[in-house]
Structures are given as C-alpha cells and as structure tokens.
Coordinates of all heavy atoms in Angstrom, one line a residue:
A1 N 150.7 -110.2 222.6 CA 151.5 -108.9 222.7 C 151.1 -108.1 224.0 O 152.0 -107.5 224.6 CB 151.2 -108.1 221.5
E2 N 149.9 -108.1 224.3 CA 149.4 -107.4 225.5 C 150.0 -108.1 226.8 O 150.4 -107.4 227.7 CB 147.9 -107.3 225.6 CG 147.2 -106.5 224.6 CD 147.6 -105.0 224.7 OE1 147.6 -104.5 225.9 OE2 147.9 -104.4 223.7
A3 N 150.1 -109.4 226.8 CA 150.7 -110.1 227.9 C 152.2 -109.8 228.0 O 152.7 -109.6 229.1 CB 150.5 -111.6 227.8
A4 N 152.8 -109.7 226.9 CA 154.3 -109.3 226.9 C 154.5 -107.9 227.4 O 155.6 -107.7 228.0 CB 154.8 -109.5 225.5
R5 N 153.6 -107.0 227.3 CA 153.7 -105.7 227.8 C 153.2 -105.6 229.2 O 153.3 -104.5 229.8 CB 152.8 -104.7 226.9 CG 153.3 -104.5 225.5 CD 152.5 -103.5 224.8 NE 152.8 -103.5 223.4 CZ 152.0 -103.9 222.5 NH1 150.8 -104.4 222.8 NH2 152.3 -103.9 221.2
G6 N 152.7 -106.7 229.8 CA 152.3 -106.7 231.2 C 150.9 -106.2 231.4 O 150.5 -105.9 232.5
R7 N 150.2 -106.0 230.3 CA 148.8 -105.5 230.4 C 147.8 -106.6 230.7 O 146.7 -106.3 231.1 CB 148.4 -104.7 229.1 CG 149.3 -103.5 228.9 CD 148.8 -102.7 227.7 NE 149.7 -101.6 227.5 CZ 149.8 -101.0 226.3 NH1 149.0 -101.3 225.3 NH2 150.6 -99.9 226.2
L8 N 148.1 -107.8 230.3 CA 147.3 -108.9 230.6 C 148.1 -109.9 231.4 O 149.3 -110.0 231.3 CB 146.8 -109.6 229.3 CG 145.8 -108.9 228.5 CD1 145.5 -109.7 227.2 CD2 144.5 -108.7 229.3
E9 N 147.4 -110.7 232.3 CA 148.2 -111.6 233.1 C 148.7 -112.8 232.3 O 149.8 -113.2 232.5 CB 147.3 -112.1 234.2 CG 147.0 -111.1 235.3 CD 146.2 -111.7 236.4 OE1 146.2 -112.9 236.6 OE2 145.6 -110.9 237.1
D10 N 147.9 -113.3 231.4 CA 148.3 -114.5 230.6 C 147.6 -114.5 229.3 O 146.5 -114.1 229.1 CB 147.9 -115.7 231.4 CG 148.6 -117.0 230.8 OD1 149.6 -116.8 230.1 OD2 148.1 -118.1 231.2
A11 N 148.4 -114.9 228.3 CA 147.8 -115.0 226.9 C 147.1 -116.4 226.8 O 147.5 -117.4 227.4 CB 148.9 -114.9 225.9
V12 N 146.0 -116.4 226.1 CA 145.3 -117.6 225.8 C 146.1 -118.5 224.9 O 147.0 -118.1 224.2 CB 143.9 -117.3 225.3 CG1 143.0 -116.6 226.3 CG2 144.0 -116.6 224.0
E13 N 145.7 -119.7 224.8 CA 146.3 -120.7 223.9 C 146.1 -120.3 222.5 O 145.0 -119.7 222.1 CB 145.8 -122.1 224.1 CG 146.2 -122.7 225.5 CD 147.7 -122.9 225.5 OE1 148.3 -123.4 224.6 OE2 148.3 -122.6 226.6
P14 N 147.0 -120.5 221.6 CA 146.8 -120.2 220.2 C 145.8 -121.1 219.6 O 145.5 -122.2 220.1 CB 148.2 -120.4 219.5 CG 148.9 -121.4 220.4 CD 148.3 -121.1 221.8
P15 N 145.1 -120.6 218.5 CA 144.1 -121.4 217.9 C 144.8 -122.6 217.2 O 145.9 -122.5 216.8 CB 143.4 -120.5 216.9 CG 144.5 -119.4 216.6 CD 145.2 -119.3 217.9
G16 N 144.0 -123.7 217.1 CA 144.6 -124.9 216.5 C 144.6 -124.6 215.0 O 144.2 -123.6 214.4
P17 N 145.2 -125.6 214.3 CA 145.3 -125.4 212.8 C 143.9 -125.4 212.1 O 143.0 -126.0 212.7 CB 146.1 -126.6 212.4 CG 146.0 -127.6 213.4 CD 145.7 -126.9 214.7
L18 N 143.8 -124.8 211.1 CA 142.6 -124.7 210.3 C 142.4 -126.1 209.6 O 143.3 -126.5 208.9 CB 142.6 -123.6 209.3 CG 141.4 -123.5 208.3 CD1 140.1 -123.2 209.1 CD2 141.6 -122.5 207.3
V19 N 141.3 -126.8 209.9 CA 141.0 -128.1 209.3 C 139.9 -127.9 208.3 O 138.8 -127.5 208.7 CB 140.7 -129.1 210.4 CG1 140.4 -130.5 209.7 CG2 141.8 -129.2 211.4
L20 N 140.2 -128.2 207.1 CA 139.1 -128.1 206.0 C 138.7 -129.5 205.6 O 139.6 -130.4 205.5 CB 139.6 -127.4 204.8 CG 140.1 -125.9 205.0 CD1 140.7 -125.3 203.8 CD2 138.9 -125.1 205.5
T21 N 137.5 -129.7 205.3 CA 137.0 -131.0 204.7 C 137.5 -131.1 203.3 O 137.9 -130.1 202.7 CB 135.5 -131.1 204.7 OG1 134.9 -130.1 203.8 CG2 134.9 -130.8 206.1
L22 N 137.3 -132.3 202.7 CA 137.7 -132.5 201.3 C 136.9 -131.6 200.4 O 137.4 -131.0 199.4 CB 137.6 -133.9 200.9 CG 138.0 -134.3 199.5 CD1 139.5 -134.0 199.3 CD2 137.8 -135.8 199.3
V23 N 135.6 -131.4 200.7 CA 134.8 -130.6 199.9 C 135.2 -129.1 200.0 O 135.3 -128.4 199.0 CB 133.3 -130.7 200.4 CG1 132.4 -129.7 199.7 CG2 132.8 -132.1 200.1
E24 N 135.6 -128.7 201.2 CA 136.1 -127.3 201.3 C 137.4 -127.1 200.6 O 137.7 -126.0 200.0 CB 136.2 -127.0 202.8 CG 134.9 -126.9 203.5 CD 135.0 -126.8 205.1 OE1 136.0 -127.3 205.6 OE2 134.1 -126.2 205.7
Q25 N 138.3 -128.1 200.7 CA 139.6 -128.0 200.0 C 139.4 -127.9 198.5 O 140.0 -127.1 197.8 CB 140.5 -129.2 200.3 CG 141.0 -129.2 201.7 CD 141.8 -130.4 202.0 OE1 141.6 -131.5 201.5 NE2 142.8 -130.2 202.9
R26 N 138.4 -128.7 198.0 CA 138.1 -128.6 196.5 C 137.5 -127.2 196.2 O 137.8 -126.7 195.1 CB 137.2 -129.7 196.1 CG 138.0 -131.1 196.1 CD 137.2 -132.2 195.6 NE 138.0 -133.4 195.6 CZ 137.5 -134.6 195.7 NH1 136.3 -134.8 195.9 NH2 138.4 -135.7 195.6

C-alpha cells in the first residue's frame, strides 16, 4: 500500500504459503 502511494520505492515479495507439519495440522 505504501509503494502504491509512492512512499516506498518497491514492495517486498509476499510471504510464501504457510506450511504446517502433519503434527501441527493435527
């Protein structure tokens, strides 16, 4: 949003998907 307003030169890459282990999913 700041980059779209011209306040930042470039936006960083979006975070990757959240990856959960099988134990975490359970």
